[in-house]
Amino acid sequence: MSSSSSSLALPAMMASVVVSAVANTIIRRIALVPMEQYPYFLTQLQTFTYVILYSSILWLRYQRNDGTVTKEMLQIRKTPFLWIGFWDSVGDMLGNVGTSRVS
């Protein structure tokens, strides 16, 4: 990798994070227009979709056996991650409720 391409990689990644965050906010507002009375359902749908998607990605990476996901990585305690996921879901639900109430 050349010096100029590596120096552009970080700003490109930062810009993609900002663009995806803005797109996520816009899509959430669009989804909440017809589902204004159901922010809890939308939050649960998003949460279960993320769990299925990222679990599938982890499983596929583990099945490749190329060392990107090792057995040691899978043996760490999962309780902190469950709490992180729970509070992230609560934050999403509160955000959906707030977004559905703001015109």
Side-chain angles (χ1 to χ4, degrees):
M1 186 181 281
S2 69
S3 158
S4 63
S5 65
S6 64
S7 65
L8 294 177
L10 183 61
M13 285 188 247
M14 291 170 58
S16 68
V17 168
V18 170
V19 168
S20 64
V22 170
N24 190 22
T25 303
I26 292 169
I27 291 170
R28 177 182 292 179
R29 289 190 66 102
I30 291 170
L32 279 168
V33 169
M35 299 185 70
E36 181 179 347
Q37 300 299 318
Y38 308 103
Y40 179 73
F41 172 77
L42 187 61
T43 302
Q44 293 304 313
L45 180 66
Q46 288 172 335
T47 300
F48 287 122
T49 302
Y50 288 149
V51 167
I52 292 168
L53 176 71
Y54 290 121
S55 297
S56 300
I57 291 170
L58 179 64
W59 181 78
L60 288 172
R61 291 182 74 185
Y62 180 70
Q63 292 299 316
R64 283 195 315 194
N65 287 328
D66 62 355
T68 55
V69 178
T70 63
K71 288 184 181 181
E72 292 82 21
M73 290 177 183
L74 296 175
Q75 291 175 348
I76 63 171
R77 290 184 337 130
K78 308 217 178 15
T79 308
F81 296 104
L82 291 173
W83 280 110
I84 291 168
F86 171 77
W87 288 113
D88 183 53
S89 180
V90 168
D92 284 344
M93 184 177 63
L94 293 174
N96 284 344
V97 169
T99 302
S100 69
R101 302 292 185 249
V102 175
S103 56

